[in-house]
Amino acid sequence: MSGPDEALLGRIDARFRALHMPGARQSYRALAQETGVDERALTFLEGVLSAELEARELHRYERNLRAARFPVVKELGAFDFAAIPSLSKARVEELVTGRFIPAHESVILIGNPGTGKTHLLLALGLEAIRRGYRVRFVTAAGLVNELLLAQAELRVPKLLRQLAAFDLVLVDELGYVPFSREAAQLLFEFFAERYETRATAITTNLPFAQWPQVFGDETMTVALLDRLTHRSHVLLLHGESYRLRESRRRNPVPQGAEANAEPREEARAR
Ligand code: ADP
Ligand code: MG
């Protein structure tokens, strides 16, 4: 071998390290010298290791995407920021970097129905998976059901541990349905467990002032909001429902017939 190329050897070291193959990493240089392999053979070795790394990354991405249980896949690229001027694109782009995940911060998307909260939530989740994070999507109602079932089977701690294995849990539609006291308590436990140890992102149609009505207990709600909003990114999506706007664009309503076209929910949340 005519003097090993240090840059190439450095890349091979890095590949072995990423593949968790310390034995091979420590011995391949001596073996290469003993057997007199040339730079072409080492380039071949680097190629083989890179192929294995890529295959593992793809496999991990696919596994994490299945584990996330997204109802649909939504891309950030398909999100029309012009439709929702109250939303800062720069803040969304900052979240997409995923820095809030190892920082164990929370994301709260607040807005009336149809403004793209779930779309953004799913897109954030997808980007996090692309960065190698483990993500799980749940609706608030689904999470409550899982927690209540676990409670009945005396395995709430186990369920919370399982959820703690996810770097990011996405909780969609908090506040759409009022909870029983027991359910609210379990949800509180879930958020308390993740507080400052894991990242969580939620969507809600409720301004914070209305949360006590949904959670029942005022003191518990205050404690919950305290944990959720501490070190959190709150994004407001206020505007017209994207769906309504789109359907109106497709089937224009005659002038005057429009006044009562929006569901009451929307008018109230504004
Ligand atoms: P929300 O969760 O706020 O009720 P969704 O995220 O479910 O709203 O949005 C409703 C539908 O409209 C979805 O199909 C979503 O992809 C689409 N949508 C909403 N806002 C936008 C937007 N700004 N750009 C592109 N599509 C959007
Ligand atoms: Mg939604």
Side-chain angles (χ1 to χ4, degrees):
M1 200 166 62
S2 57
D5 174 352
E6 269 310 317
L8 174 59
L9 293 178
R11 287 199 301 277
I12 294 173
D13 286 347
R15 304 283 187 280
F16 275 132
R17 206 171 273 119
L19 290 165
H20 305 288
M21 296 173 69
R25 177 169 55 82
Q26 279 150 22
S27 49
Y28 83 93
R29 289 187 192 220
L31 281 170
Q33 222 155 30
E34 263 170 49
T35 52
V37 302
D38 59 7
E39 192 155 317
R40 278 180 60 209
L42 288 170
T43 304
F44 167 75
L45 175 60
E46 187 203 3
V48 170
L49 296 177
S50 299
E52 176 62 21
L53 264 178
E54 273 170 37
R56 284 195 198 179
E57 259 163 42
L58 180 65
H59 187 232
R60 181 167 72 156
Y61 168 77
E62 285 168 349
R63 197 176 53 231
N64 286 348
L65 193 59
R66 275 195 305 275
R69 304 195 204 171
F70 292 154
V72 283
V73 169
K74 291 280 182 182
E75 293 279 357
L76 191 70
F79 193 81
D80 174 14
F81 282 90
I84 193 96
S86 73
L87 182 69
S88 152
K89 189 175 179 189
R91 291 190 66 201
V92 173
E93 277 165 354
E94 159 60 28
L95 291 176
V96 167
T97 65
R99 279 192 280 263
F100 73 98
I101 300 172
H104 307 146
E105 292 165 352
S106 32
V107 175
I108 307 179
L109 304 172
I110 307 179
N112 37 301
T115 48
K117 300 181 297 298
T118 302
H119 186 134
L120 273 186
L121 188 74
L122 290 166
L124 274 183
L126 187 62
E127 294 299 333
I129 292 175
R130 287 190 175 131
R131 282 169 173 73
Y133 292 110
R134 297 193 61 196
V135 178
R136 168 78 201 273
F137 172 93
V138 277
T139 61
L143 177 60
V144 161
N145 284 340
E146 274 189 58
L147 285 163
L148 286 170
L149 183 64
Q151 167 115 315
E153 295 171 356
L154 304 176
R155 54 173 179 81
V156 171
K158 186 174 169 211
L159 176 58
L160 292 178
R161 259 198 322 278
Q162 285 167 345
L163 290 168
F166 293 97
D167 304 298
L168 174 63
V169 173
L170 311 171
V171 184
D172 199 20
E173 302 193 344
L174 209 58
Y176 279 72
V177 216
F179 300 117
S180 68
R181 195 181 157 71
E182 193 184 22
Q185 199 116 34
L186 285 165
L187 263 188
F188 177 76
E189 246 182 87
F190 164 78
F191 285 114
E193 168 111 349
R194 292 191 76 78
Y195 175 61
E196 289 196 326
T197 66
R198 293 286 181 278
T200 313
I202 67 161
T203 74
T204 181
N205 59 336
L206 280 189
F208 291 142
Q210 285 175 30
W211 282 43
Q213 287 167 30
V214 169
F215 281 87
D217 184 307
E218 173 96 37
T219 318
M220 197 170 64
T221 311
V222 170
L224 172 70
L225 278 175
D226 190 55
R227 279 165 183 75
L228 258 182
T229 55
H230 180 219
R231 285 155 51 87
S232 72
H233 306 262
V234 179
L235 300 182
L236 300 177
L237 288 85
H238 283 305
E240 199 181 9
S241 159
Y242 194 80
R243 278 178 291 234
L244 277 178
R245 215 173 79 142
E246 284 296 286
S247 60
R248 197 149 45 208
R249 204 171 51 76
R250 283 190 303 267
N251 319 297
V253 181
Q255 281 265 319
E258 213 176 319
N260 297 314
E262 290 189 29
R264 281 175 49 218
E265 187 103 38
E266 296 234 323
R268 198 191 47 174
R270 206 166 279 153

